[in-house]
Amino acid sequence: MRLGCGAFAAGCVLVEVLGVALFLRGFFPAPVRSSSGTEHQAESPAPEPSAGATSNWTKLPPPLFSKVVIMLIDALRDDFVFGSKGVKFMPYTTYLVGKGASHSFVAEAKPPTVTMPRIKALMTGSLPGFVDIIRNFNSPTLLEDNVITQAKAAGKRIIFYGDETWVKLFPKHFVEYDGTTSFFVSDYTEVDDNVTRHLDRVLKRRDWDVLILHYLGLDHIGHISGPNSPLIGRKLSEMDSVLMRIHTSLLSEEREAVSPSLLVLCGDHGMSANGGHGASSVEETNTALLLISSAFERRPGDVRPPKLVQQTDLAATLAIGLGLPIPKHSVGRLLSPVIEGRAMREQLRFLHLNTVQLSRLLQENVPSYEREPGFEQFQVSQKLHGNWVRLYLEEKNSEVLLNLGTKVRRQYLDALKTLSLALSRQVAHYDIYSMVVGTVVVLEVFALLLLSAPQALGSAAELEVPLSSPVFSLLFYLVLLLLGAVHVSVCTSTEGSCYFCSLSWPTVGVVLVLVSALLCAVLSALTRTCVDGKLLRRNPARTNSKWSELDLLILVGTVGHVLSLGASSFIEEEHQTWYFLVSTLCLALCHESYRNCFLGDNGESPCCLRVEGRFVRAAPTVKDKSTGCDVLELDRVCTKPSSLDTLRGCEKAMVLASPWLVLGCCRLLRPLNHTGVQWAHRPDLGHWLTSSDHKAELSVLAALSLVAVFALVQSRCSPMSRVAMALGLLGIYCYRASIGHVLLPWQRGSTAVSRGIIEARFVYVFVLGILFTGTKDLLKSQVLAAGATVKTVGLWDVYSGLVLLAALLFRPHNLPVLVCSLLIQTVMTKYIWRPLKHGAAEVAVMHYWFGQAFFYFQGNSNNITTVDISAGFVGLNTYVEIPAMFLTAFATYAGPVLWASHLVNFLSSEPSSGSALRRAGFCYALVCSAPASVYVVLVTALRYHLFIWSVFSPKLLYEGMHLLVTAALCVGFAAVDQARVQSRSGRAAAS
């Protein structure tokens, strides 16, 4: 079966996406759910230890608090309460921290620092898996044992207002609730007003036990404007007034209550320097935790600096405070300051219940638990506790009891700390079988692409896929039978815990057939490669080609980048790798342009020949200027002199200066957005532009950038698209002015800020209009079999529509990134690729490199923090899942998408492109699949690495998403190439 190499590459990448998806499903396994309905059945509490006598305390202790109010402020970073911002904007809270009856903590959250996993950690005390960052967009019901379910089972009445994620996690748990959409980040006022409006009515009532309030406005402000926005101070002041209302109401009720109440002020995660969250920086993981109750004694002059604890510790503390069992899977430990005012026997009882729960969890998860230091400490603590109980029952000297009780308490606290740390290290649970199957699929596809490269880059740009060969048919059935036997053996020994084993047999059969077919194809390609190698050795005349310096740079750079993914530091600072590679590429292009110009002028072999994507130095021959040459058909030998000889003086000077111009643009963009880890906290030009003091400068820069975008794009657009582009760019500026990012010329001061819904939708109309016009012209040109120049008009209109959409979604300070991208594309097209006659393979790899570099020039990184989710809500007045996810993904990967789209336009615009588009699609698929293929192997080998969740896992998600984008782009490559083939066939039939 013969296939064009572009269509073959697109199919391979789609299969690789399936393999990566299966690998991710194994690497991020779904938690095991109990179907028996006994998950939340209460177990008998461990009795109080006793030495030689039966204890009389076998039940849970009574609740410490009659009512509990949890006020969760999304993205409440610790310095917002305990730092200068807290002193300035939260005076009442600052008073409670310094002099009130309270205990303050800095609660450390584990990555991923997004809302849904953090809520699970707060209520279950367990460490959610990294895959929960995906489930955050559509939270499933939480079936794991948790405080909310325990409270409901105990008959407590729970009321909730705020983020609807709670309603999804705990359906039918609240006697009253009002959920608000958490993902519509453009709203930071109504989303909190809808919570506060219930306060007065609820606080006057006494028919509830637990009140949960989740405020989202602070997090939304961070996503829109960052942590230094003046809106942050106003929101903190608003939250401080809400806290004061709740606290004063609880104090007034306590006069008639039997036991005191507890007010918990906490955050789910922090906020990075850019306003996002999701990664593992200190700003994102450290959150404020304040426990306020009249039960906490506070001596005059008692200064208590916030103590660092784990966020998972709150679940055990709330369970003890409400008189509930500690959740079974909690790895947290009781916050001991909460029980300091209680009698010694009660304190030891609470600590004993916590250590028993952790020790049971350790026994279930660690086979060699008896050798764990924490378990040994627990046994010692329990024995000492029993001795203390015996002395207590015998009514010995109180001073002896106090000293021994203090010793036992200290021993319990040490055991809790050691057990919690040991359990936290056991959270990595992998579905190895699903990971192996996914890895095999990915590596087979990559090997097939790699072995097919010589044939794909040949003269026909087509591949022979001999799946029907009789020899390999026998191998296919043998491999299929072997894989089926392995599957049955693995699934019967794993007791159904593997995801791949839980699939239906038809689905498993399709996967096994696919794996077997890929293996046969790989072996066939390997055999063909070996045969071709023998033929080349027998015919030395065919091996006279050699690699140029640029070819070697592309090869070494691509391989070096792939190998660098095995080091966490290179992943955190991957932008430096791409900055170095594109800078080196510019220097190599400069060297090549100088060599072509000056050697050509001296008559020393001015022509570079290309065979199968490689340069071939031509022997000095008589030049025939009338001889034509298709520079994009890599299999043909160019016998005409370099086109630099036909350029005028100013044009030749531009060829020599172009690499330096590109290098200068890349260097100017680097300080615009500091990314990565090491220097991300340092102020950059983007922070300077987005500050409120430099709004005028940002406005001028945004206006000039939009004008430059129009100037760089409009020349090849159709007249209708040109008008739509101009109006759309004008609408973008009006949109940014309406939401307060930039100033209009007639504005003298600050004006009312709106959401810009109308202005953004105005731009969307023109984006859709340009895309529709381009698609219509493209289809029309194929039907009419028009020439190459006319055919590219529709493609360029589609490209210009994507540019307009990117300009809308980019932050105003990032518009120069878009301008530089368009400028570099224009300069490289006119003065590098065409005059120097680069092949399709080289051009494709260069587009890939620049696309990756501009991904980081936007300010992106391998941390989830840098994903600008506010782009998903431009022009939306409510949360709509599919458009929001599409817009967010496009804004994130705008750099690679625009460069890949430009590659299609560039190759399609050549009058004699031949099969260059197929080769380019194949090369683009190959260089994109290489990092993903190697990275799944590296992640499997490093799955127990210290930074597996903070560094390697986020990068794995980025690689999976980038491969999905690449699959869509390769399908686009194949579709455009197929349309060109049909157009040529139509013209041939007509003639």
Side-chain angles (χ1 to χ4, degrees):
M1 180 176 64
R2 296 192 64 83
L3 287 176
C5 61
F8 174 77
C12 286
V13 176
L14 287 174
V15 174
E16 191 171 13
V17 169
L18 296 178
V20 171
L22 184 58
F23 176 86
L24 290 175
R25 185 58 179 78
F27 189 77
F28 301 128
V32 179
R33 304 301 186 188
S34 174
S35 59
S36 61
T38 62
E39 178 73 14
H40 304 297
Q41 286 185 1
E43 297 181 357
S44 301
E48 184 182 40
S50 169
T54 304
S55 172
N56 62 349
W57 200 342
T58 58
K59 297 182 179 180
L60 285 174
L64 300 179
F65 309 103
S66 59
K67 291 182 182 296
V68 173
V69 178
I70 301 175
M71 181 178 175
L72 193 154
I73 302 177
D74 211 293
L76 185 64
R77 210 164 69 180
D78 61 325
D79 61 330
F80 287 171
V81 176
F82 307 129
S84 58
K85 282 188 172 66
V87 174
K88 182 178 181 180
F89 300 110
M90 303 186 75
Y92 189 78
T93 306
T94 303
Y95 165 77
L96 292 176
V97 171
K99 300 180 181 180
S102 65
H103 295 294
S104 54
F105 307 93
V106 175
E108 182 182 10
K110 299 296 183 183
T113 48
V114 292
T115 298
M116 192 273 282
R118 297 298 96 223
I119 296 176
K120 289 176 63 175
L122 288 168
M123 294 297 106
T124 65
S126 62
L127 296 175
F130 204 89
V131 73
D132 283 321
I133 198 170
I134 300 175
R135 296 196 185 101
N136 186 57
F137 291 97
N138 190 15
S139 306
T141 302
L142 180 61
L143 301 180
E144 189 177 350
D145 192 16
N146 59 84
V147 176
I148 300 297
T149 304
Q150 292 281 9
K152 182 177 182 293
K156 297 187 181 295
R157 296 174 59 84
I158 311 171
I159 297 178
F160 169 77
Y161 303 113
D163 186 354
E164 63 181 5
T165 303
W166 290 77
V167 181
K168 295 178 181 179
L169 288 172
F170 309 107
K172 301 179 181 179
H173 284 65
F174 308 119
V175 295
E176 183 179 321
Y177 65 89
D178 184 12
T180 57
T181 302
S182 58
F183 294 108
F184 186 56
V185 298
S186 299
D187 174 24
Y188 53 86
T189 53
E190 292 184 12
V191 73
D192 287 344
D193 292 342
N194 287 334
V195 178
T196 307
R197 64 190 176 95
H198 299 283
L199 268 184
D200 292 336
R201 176 175 53 84
V202 172
L203 291 176
K204 292 178 180 179
R205 292 159 43 185
R206 300 184 181 181
D207 59 345
W208 55 270
D209 302 292
V210 180
L211 173 63
I212 303 174
L213 309 171
H214 189 148
Y215 286 93
L216 290 162
L218 185 68
D219 177 64
H220 291 184
I221 292 174
H223 284 296
I224 297 172
S225 307
N228 298 318
S229 169
L231 298 173
I232 293 289
R234 302 177 199 170
K235 182 58 65 175
L236 292 177
S237 299
E238 177 187 343
M239 296 295 100
D240 187 62
S241 63
V242 171
L243 179 73
M244 183 173 64
R245 289 169 58 184
I246 298 173
H247 187 225
T248 53
S249 177
L250 292 178
L251 289 178
S252 63
E253 286 187 12
E254 285 183 4
R255 299 170 186 171
E256 303 177 7
V258 177
S259 55
S261 301
L262 174 67
L263 172 58
V264 180
L265 174 68
C266 62
D268 54 346
H269 51 74
M271 184 185 298
S272 69
N274 296 324
H277 54 88
S280 57
S281 66
V282 175
E283 292 82 2
E284 297 165 82
T285 58
N286 285 2
T287 66
L289 175 59
L290 186 62
L291 305 181
I292 308 167
S293 176
S294 59
F296 304 147
E297 298 179 357
R298 194 65 173 266
R299 299 174 183 176
D302 184 8
V303 179
R304 302 175 182 176
K307 180 182 178 182
L308 181 64
V309 298
Q310 297 299 311
Q311 194 179 59
T312 51
D313 297 341
L314 183 62
T317 306
L318 288 176
I320 293 296
L322 291 169
L324 304 172
I326 298 176
K328 299 176 183 178
H329 303 103
S330 171
V331 299
R333 43 189 173 135
L334 174 65
L335 298 176
S336 57
V338 175
I339 59 174
E340 282 179 353
R342 312 296 292 189
M344 181 60 70
R345 189 180 186 187
E346 292 184 43
Q347 293 187 44
L348 297 182
R349 174 63 172 156
F350 295 140
L351 295 173
H352 175 251
L353 288 172
N354 197 182
T355 50
V356 167
Q357 177 263 322
L358 291 180
S359 64
R360 287 176 178 173
L361 193 61
L362 185 73
Q363 295 177 44
E364 295 173 0
N365 291 273
V366 180
S368 58
Y369 67 91
E370 293 180 349
R371 294 194 297 268
E372 287 288 335
F375 189 77
E376 296 175 357
Q377 292 177 350
F378 161 67
Q379 290 180 319
V380 174
S381 303
Q382 196 171 30
K383 184 177 180 180
L384 291 175
H385 190 185
N387 294 333
W388 187 92
V389 171
R390 185 183 61 184
L391 292 175
Y392 177 83
L393 295 177
E394 293 176 0
E395 299 181 0
K396 295 292 184 181
N397 186 282
S398 60
E399 185 176 353
V400 176
L401 279 175
L402 179 61
N403 293 334
L404 182 58
T406 303
K407 181 180 179 180
V408 176
R409 182 177 59 189
R410 185 166 54 249
Q411 186 72 26
Y412 267 133
L413 293 175
D414 292 340
L416 282 174
K417 181 178 180 180
T418 308
L419 285 170
S420 179
L421 291 175
L423 287 167
S424 298
R425 292 193 297 264
Q426 301 297 325
V427 296
H429 171 67
Y430 302 105
D431 181 358
I432 299 297
Y433 184 44
S434 300
M435 291 172 60
V436 169
V437 176
T439 303
V440 169
V441 173
V442 170
L443 292 181
E444 285 181 336
V445 170
F446 177 62
L448 186 59
L449 285 172
L450 201 59
L451 293 171
S452 303
Q455 188 179 2
L457 298 178
S459 58
E462 291 183 344
L463 291 165
E464 183 69 34
V465 185
L467 291 179
S468 58
S469 173
V471 176
F472 289 103
S473 295
L474 177 60
L475 177 63
F476 169 78
Y477 290 114
L478 290 176
V479 172
L480 184 60
L481 288 175
L482 177 62
L483 292 179
V486 171
H487 178 74
V488 173
S489 176
V490 172
C491 293
T492 53
S493 61
T494 56
E495 299 180 356
S497 60
C498 295
Y499 169 73
F500 194 59
C501 293
S502 64
L503 298 176
S504 61
W505 269 103
T507 305
V508 173
V510 171
V511 176
L512 296 182
V513 167
L514 180 63
V515 172
S516 303
L518 286 174
L519 179 60
C520 293
V522 169
L523 293 177
S524 175
L526 183 61
T527 304
R528 183 175 59 248
T529 302
C530 294
V531 172
D532 292 343
K534 292 180 180 179
L535 293 177
L536 288 175
R537 284 194 295 270
R538 294 177 182 177
N539 186 11
R542 296 179 57 187
T543 62
N544 57 354
S545 62
K546 67 176 183 179
W547 290 77
S548 70
E549 294 89 343
L550 188 62
D551 297 324
L552 291 175
L553 172 64
I554 288 175
L555 177 63
V556 173
T558 302
V559 174
H561 165 255
V562 171
L563 295 178
S564 71
L565 298 179
S568 59
S569 299
F570 277 95
I571 294 176
E572 291 177 335
E573 308 296 328
E574 188 181 356
H575 61 286
Q576 301 288 3
T577 301
W578 289 113
Y579 295 167
F580 172 78
L581 288 178
V582 296
S583 299
T584 308
L585 177 63
C586 291
L587 295 178
L589 292 173
C590 179
H591 169 71
E592 185 182 15
S593 61
Y594 273 71
R595 183 181 61 186
N596 275 270
C597 284
F598 293 111
L599 291 182
D601 292 339
N602 295 332
E604 297 178 14
S605 183
C607 183
C608 290
L609 312 182
R610 289 175 174 80
V611 178
E612 297 185 0
R614 304 171 184 171
F615 282 94
V616 181
R617 181 64 64 185
T621 55
V622 178
K623 301 176 182 178
D624 184 3
K625 295 186 178 181
S626 63
T627 303
C629 176
D630 185 357
V631 299
L632 292 174
E633 296 225 7
L634 306 183
D635 56 292
R636 297 175 61 181
V637 177
C638 174
T639 57
K640 71 175 184 179
S642 171
S643 60
L644 297 180
D645 297 338
T646 63
L647 296 178
R648 293 174 296 178
C650 60
E651 293 176 338
K652 186 175 291 188
M654 281 300 301
V655 172
L656 298 177
S658 293
W660 297 103
L661 176 62
V662 174
L663 186 62
C665 288
C666 294
R667 185 63 187 87
L668 289 175
L669 290 178
R670 291 180 66 173
L672 183 62
N673 295 295
H674 286 166
T675 184
V677 174
Q678 295 184 9
W679 295 278
H681 64 281
R682 295 185 178 181
D684 51 33
L685 186 57
H687 287 97
W688 185 85
L689 287 170
T690 54
S691 65
S692 57
D693 298 331
H694 304 99
K695 187 175 289 188
E697 291 85 347
L698 179 61
S699 302
V700 173
L701 180 65
L704 293 177
S705 298
L706 293 174
V707 172
V709 168
F710 178 76
L712 291 168
V713 174
Q714 56 85 29
S715 59
R716 293 177 58 186
C717 291
S718 61
M720 185 178 299
S721 297
R722 196 173 302 170
V723 175
M725 173 67 70
L727 294 176
L729 293 173
L730 180 61
I732 291 174
Y733 191 88
C734 294
Y735 164 72
R736 290 298 172 183
S738 65
I739 63 176
H741 287 170
V742 298
L743 298 173
L744 292 172
W746 53 85
Q747 288 181 348
R748 296 182 178 271
S750 61
T751 58
V753 177
S754 69
R755 298 180 184 175
I757 303 295
I758 298 177
E759 293 85 349
R761 291 179 177 178
F762 177 78
V763 179
Y764 282 137
V765 170
F766 291 112
V767 170
L768 294 176
I770 294 174
L771 293 176
F772 175 78
T773 301
T775 304
K776 178 177 65 68
D777 292 343
L778 180 62
L779 296 176
K780 182 179 179 181
S781 65
Q782 305 303 329
V783 173
L784 297 179
T789 304
V790 178
K791 284 194 298 181
T792 58
V793 174
L795 279 176
W796 189 262
D797 284 348
V798 173
Y799 172 74
S800 63
L802 297 178
V803 170
L804 182 60
L805 180 60
L808 173 64
L809 300 181
F810 275 20
R811 298 290 182 98
H813 75 278
N814 265 340
L815 288 175
V817 177
L818 182 61
V819 173
C820 288
S821 178
L822 298 174
L823 179 62
I824 291 174
Q825 291 172 359
T826 303
V827 170
M828 295 284 284
T829 299
K830 189 173 182 180
Y831 299 111
I832 300 294
W833 294 323
R834 283 176 179 162
L836 299 181
K837 302 177 182 179
H838 287 107
E842 291 174 340
V843 173
V845 177
M846 291 184 203
H847 275 79
Y848 172 76
W849 280 22
F850 277 104
Q852 293 299 305
F854 274 88
F855 173 83
Y856 294 101
F857 283 141
Q858 293 175 228
N860 294 320
S861 71
N862 289 324
N863 288 333
I864 306 298
T865 311
T866 53
V867 176
D868 183 15
I869 65 172
S870 64
F873 305 95
V874 174
L876 302 180
N877 55 7
T878 185
Y879 174 63
V880 185
E881 187 173 359
I882 294 179
M885 294 181 65
F886 169 77
L887 293 175
T888 303
F890 180 82
T892 303
Y893 290 94
V897 169
L898 291 180
W899 275 90
S901 302
H902 182 268
L903 175 61
V904 177
N905 278 278
F906 170 71
L907 296 178
S908 300
S909 64
E910 296 302 314
S912 302
S913 62
S915 55
L917 194 59
R918 295 181 182 179
R919 296 191 185 91
F922 182 88
C923 291
Y924 198 88
L926 181 60
V927 295
C928 289
S929 65
S933 304
V934 176
Y935 196 65
V936 294
V937 179
L938 292 174
V939 169
T940 303
L942 299 172
R943 62 186 182 275
Y944 296 112
H945 193 279
L946 179 63
F947 303 129
I948 185 64
W949 300 117
S950 59
V951 178
F952 292 99
S953 294
K955 175 61 178 176
L956 183 61
L957 291 178
Y958 273 109
E959 282 297 332
M961 186 63 190
H962 186 236
L963 193 64
L964 183 61
V965 173
T966 301
L969 294 174
C970 289
V971 171
F973 275 92
V976 173
D977 178 67
Q978 183 64 26
R980 294 177 64 84
V981 171
Q982 293 179 355
S983 177
R984 287 197 299 268
S985 301
R987 290 198 301 271
S991 61

